């Protein structure tokens, strides 16, 4: 499916996703939110803060508009849905920003899907996973990501967005 048609479909379809595109975007970013992130603002605010997922997505949409890039955000509590979106990104995105949430520590499927795309991926966590319980210290996806942004609350997403846009610009400049 052509990129424009896919974005229209994503914007028009119901469900936990949204798409933003202004004018002719330079790049398209896919933002994936893993399980339980739909409960942000309510769930364990001492770790994740009071900002909702909708507020995070709104801030990312504003950044995308300012940067001249298009953006699709998607949240799922199901590993297979996230893997499918990652696989589809091969033909529709230039980079992936992902907070796999609990799947960070367990999902070889998400790790392998990210590796298979060949796209630059940026791992995001609201809390500092390295200062949490020992089982959270290990990321199954970090070795296939450009970098990891952790511990800055909702700002982690903005920092990862800025890093992704800068990485794409740098890569594009180097290829000329």
């Amino acid at each position: 499916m052509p990129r424009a048609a896919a974005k229209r479909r994503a914007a028009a379809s119901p469900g936990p996703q949204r798409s933003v595109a202004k004018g002719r975007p330079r790049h398209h970013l896919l933002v994936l939110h893993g399980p339980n992130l739909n409960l942000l603002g309510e769930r364990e605010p001492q770790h994740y803060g009071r900002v909702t997922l909708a507020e995070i997505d709104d801030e990312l949409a504003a950044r995308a508009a300012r940067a001249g890039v298009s953006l699709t955000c998607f949240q799922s509590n199901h590993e297979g849905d996230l893997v499918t979106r990652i696989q589809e990104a091969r033909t529709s995105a230039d980079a992936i920003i992902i907070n796999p949430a609990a799947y960070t520590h367990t999902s070889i499927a998400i790790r392998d899907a990210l590796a298979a795309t060949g796209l630059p991926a940026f791992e995001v966590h609201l809390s500092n996973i390295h200062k949490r319980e020992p089982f959270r210290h290990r990321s199954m996806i970090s070795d296939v990501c450009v970098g990891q942004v952790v511990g800055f609350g909702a700002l982690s997403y903005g920092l990862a967005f800025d890093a992704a846009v800068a990485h794409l610009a740098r890569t594009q400049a180097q290829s000329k």
Side-chain angles (χ1 to χ4, degrees):
M1 176 181 319
R3 187 184 283 187
K7 283 190 272 189
R8 280 193 302 277
R9 183 182 57 80
S13 66
Q17 66 185 22
R18 92 198 237 186
S19 191
V20 176
K22 300 277 186 195
R24 180 162 244 190
R26 294 180 303 178
H27 298 290
H28 183 74
L29 302 180
L30 174 63
V31 179
L32 296 174
H33 308 289
N36 298 314
L37 293 175
N38 55 308
L39 299 177
L40 285 178
E42 305 168 28
R43 178 179 170 248
E44 298 181 77
Q46 71 278 16
H47 292 297
Y48 306 115
R50 298 229 177 255
V51 176
T52 67
L53 188 59
E55 291 169 325
I56 289 170
D57 286 346
D58 287 345
E59 171 59 24
L60 290 173
R63 284 175 185 260
R66 288 191 301 271
V69 301
S70 62
L71 176 79
T72 300
C73 296
F74 177 78
Q75 187 278 328
S76 180
N77 293 320
H78 305 283
E79 182 179 30
D81 292 344
L82 295 168
V83 168
T84 297
R85 284 300 181 114
I86 293 165
Q87 291 175 352
E88 291 171 351
R90 291 177 302 153
T91 59
S92 63
D94 298 299
I96 298 171
I97 297 169
I98 182 168
N99 182 344
Y103 291 135
T104 302
H105 322 292
T106 62
S107 183
I108 295 168
I110 289 174
R111 183 238 177 257
D112 288 351
L114 288 168
T117 68
L119 296 172
F122 300 81
E123 183 178 355
V124 175
H125 297 284
L126 298 165
S127 65
N128 184 342
I129 62 172
H130 307 290
K131 291 179 104 177
R132 305 266 319 266
E133 303 91 339
F135 70 88
R136 295 188 194 273
H137 297 180
R138 172 88 167 109
S139 169
M140 299 299 282
I141 72 165
S142 63
D143 70 315
V144 296
C145 289
V146 173
Q148 186 183 67
V149 181
V150 303
F152 296 99
L155 180 59
S156 293
Y157 279 95
L159 295 170
F161 176 90
D162 291 347
V165 170
H167 177 82
L168 291 170
R170 187 172 49 255
T171 302
Q172 187 174 34
Q174 290 172 351
S175 69
K176 288 184 178 182

